[in-house]
Amino acid sequence: MSRIYQLKMILALLLLVSFINTKIVSASGPDIGFISVSIYALLATPDKYHDKKVQFIGFLNLEFEENAVYAHKSDFEQAIMKNSIWVDIKPNSKEKSKRGYVLIRGIFKADEFGHFGLFSGAIRDIERLEPHKSRIQLESEL
């Protein structure tokens, strides 16, 4: 690779990183905007994101009385509920994912804690919930 190409790639990566935690607004209008955020930011500073439309990645578990997105799969396996956010999803929902990493978007509620108050907030009015592809899956598609 040429030196100029490497510098262009570094610049592109720096620009991408600078936009990670910025507000994204759809062309359809400002009311469709959302904040792309780390689940760790939601867990650490929930009041900052209360009643805001957020999008984040986490490990989803859908089962009776334990619908939640965990920061990491090991948090689910070790039942570390405080590292998770309750997912307020309709029982008739046709979501295919029962367990796995997902991208989720909805309204974050810092003052709702799910079943028996075990979780660190809740996500409601979910408008996007889809599997998150691993690095290996993405590379295989290239």
Side-chain angles (χ1 to χ4, degrees), residues 72-136:
H72 194 272
K73 182 180 179 181
S74 63
D75 293 325
F76 164 72
E77 292 170 342
Q78 297 297 318
I80 304 172
M81 311 298 255
K82 289 299 179 185
N83 284 354
S84 66
I85 295 169
W86 175 258
V87 176
D88 185 20
I89 197 162
K90 309 265 186 274
N92 296 335
S93 178
K94 297 176 184 172
E95 300 307 327
K96 295 176 184 171
S97 294
K98 292 287 186 188
R99 282 198 186 125
Y101 283 96
V102 296
L103 175 75
I104 187 168
R105 181 189 308 154
I107 304 297
F108 180 72
K109 297 291 195 174
D111 58 355
E112 295 179 18
F113 308 105
H115 188 67
F116 289 119
L118 296 172
F119 304 89
S120 296
I123 186 147
R124 299 177 146 271
D125 303 324
I126 296 163
E127 62 183 43
R128 185 174 183 186
L129 179 59
E130 61 190 52
H132 179 70
K133 294 181 180 180
S134 71
R135 181 181 301 269
I136 293 170

Side-chain angles (χ1 to χ4, degrees), residues 1-9:
M1 281 190 247
S2 72
R3 183 82 172 143
I4 292 175
Y5 178 77
Q6 288 175 337
L7 290 173
K8 285 181 182 179
M9 292 304 293

Side-chain angles (χ1 to χ4, degrees), residues 21-80:
N21 199 20
T22 60
K23 186 171 183 179
I24 300 171
V25 178
S26 167
S28 302
D31 58 355
I32 303 198
F34 61 90
I35 302 168
S36 182
V37 64
S38 162
I39 190 171
Y40 294 109
L42 293 173
L43 296 169
T45 57
D47 293 335
K48 180 177 178 181
Y49 300 100
H50 180 65
D51 277 337
K52 294 187 177 160
K53 190 182 294 186
V54 298
Q55 176 174 286
F56 60 97
I57 295 168
F59 187 82
L60 176 71
N61 177 56
L62 293 180
E63 64 182 277
F64 182 68
E65 297 180 346
E66 201 179 322
N67 294 338
V69 177
Y70 290 79
H72 194 272
K73 182 180 179 181
S74 63
D75 293 325
F76 164 72
E77 292 170 342
Q78 297 297 318
I80 304 172

